[in-house]
Amino acid sequence: MKYSISIILPILNEINSLKKTLLILDKIKVDKEYLVVYSNKITQNSVKNEIKSLRKKYKNLKCLKQIKPFVGGAIDLGITKAKKNYIAIMASDLETNPYELKKMIHVSSKNFNSIISADRWISDKGFSNYGLIKFLANLTFQKLIKFFFNYKILDFTFAYRIYPKNALKNYKIKELRHGFALEILLAPMKKGFNVVTLPAKWKKRIEGSSSITIKAYFSYLKVFFRFL
């Protein structure tokens, strides 16, 4: 079966970063489609028009207006609309490095029934401008998950992955805040899907505003206890 991939790109307000991401991704020689899911919080017509104008440049790009709230709602919609054999989730704000997707696709094509997950903890200097408190909280939480679930990976919460489509088939995301990233890793792993990790670097966005709140952090704990 020929390898093909749907790349889900949720966007809130980082239009220039999205454009740069698309320029980089478009150089990857693979059968692909882009699913740009834009937030229903966007009120500026200029931003909406720029997003929609990208369809003229990229014929394989679809613009989807978000229905459910938060980033998990955007990813959930993208999964529902994906037409290709594999699904990639990543950010539009360059916090996920688009140059790394090419290698992830290569590894995915050699491990056809595995989830390929970017991992900041096996990378040299995997965090840039992350903040010490946030860094320590992340480290503690990752170790907590690993202790209770005993999975042989280190980064459970970085939403930069490639999935075989059947790993997410008919799955509806329940935690729509940032905890979705943990949920859609634990759910397929519970079904027996293997995870292959690759080193990746996280870099703080330089455009737009972050949507992470205290409630977003608590959403990880909600997912943790639900799967526990």
Side-chain angles (χ1 to χ4, degrees):
M1 180 173 59
K2 183 181 177 183
Y3 191 96
S4 62
I5 189 165
S6 301
I7 304 172
I8 302 173
L9 293 158
I11 179 170
L12 180 60
N13 47 24
E14 54 279 1
I15 186 66
N16 292 318
S17 295
L18 172 64
K19 289 178 179 178
K20 184 174 181 179
T21 296
L22 288 169
L23 281 173
I24 295 166
L25 297 182
D26 215 48
K27 295 176 182 178
I28 302 174
K29 303 302 180 185
V30 68
D31 179 10
K32 58 185 176 293
E33 67 173 353
Y34 306 118
L35 302 174
V36 175
V37 187
Y38 62 96
S39 172
N40 50 21
K41 291 183 179 180
I42 294 177
T43 57
Q44 298 168 281
N45 286 328
S46 58
V47 175
K48 289 181 182 178
N49 291 336
E50 284 208 71
I51 293 171
K52 292 178 180 179
S53 70
L54 290 170
R55 289 182 299 183
K56 297 178 181 178
K57 183 172 183 178
Y58 302 99
K59 302 303 180 185
N60 54 344
L61 185 149
K62 298 176 184 175
C63 292
L64 306 172
K65 185 177 181 180
Q66 192 170 333
I67 301 170
K68 297 179 182 179
F70 311 119
V71 64
I75 298 298
D76 188 69
L77 178 60
I79 291 170
T80 302
K81 298 296 183 180
K83 301 296 184 184
K84 303 300 184 180
N85 300 324
Y86 290 81
I87 297 172
I89 62 168
M90 59 186 299
S92 297
D93 56 14
L94 298 174
E95 287 188 346
T96 56
N97 185 344
Y99 285 107
E100 293 169 348
L101 189 65
K102 183 177 180 179
K103 184 174 182 180
M104 292 171 68
I105 289 173
H106 176 73
V107 174
S108 175
S109 68
K110 304 296 182 184
N111 298 269
F112 64 94
N113 206 34
S114 294
I115 298 165
I116 311 304
S117 187
D119 192 319
R120 298 162 292 184
W121 291 101
I122 60 175
S123 177
D124 181 35
K125 297 181 180 179
F127 297 86
S128 178
N129 296 321
Y130 200 66
L132 180 59
I133 294 176
K134 191 176 175 182
F135 178 87
L136 293 174
N138 189 305
L139 176 62
T140 302
F141 189 58
Q142 304 295 348
K143 288 185 176 296
L144 182 70
I145 300 169
K146 187 172 180 61
F147 176 79
F148 279 96
F149 292 99
N150 197 30
Y151 291 133
K152 294 180 180 179
I153 60 175
L154 299 176
D155 200 336
F156 293 85
T157 59
F158 193 29
Y160 192 9
R161 303 186 191 119
I162 294 177
Y163 293 82
K165 191 174 182 180
N166 61 337
L168 297 174
K169 186 177 181 181
N170 299 325
Y171 187 81
K172 293 297 180 184
I173 297 175
K174 298 176 181 64
E175 182 50 60
L176 299 181
R177 295 183 186 272
H178 284 71
F180 86 92
L182 176 60
E183 177 184 343
I184 61 171
L185 187 63
L186 292 181
M189 289 181 79
K190 287 277 190 180
K191 293 180 181 178
F193 280 90
N194 183 48
V195 177
V196 178
T197 57
L198 291 178
K201 295 182 184 296
W202 180 95
K203 185 178 180 180
K204 187 176 180 180
R205 64 164 67 207
I206 58 172
E207 180 190 15
S209 57
S210 174
S211 59
I212 295 182
T213 62
I214 293 296
K215 288 182 179 180
Y217 288 115
F218 275 116
S219 72
Y220 289 110
L221 288 173
K222 286 170 61 179
V223 173
F224 172 78
F225 285 114
R226 190 167 81 240
F227 279 87
L228 191 62

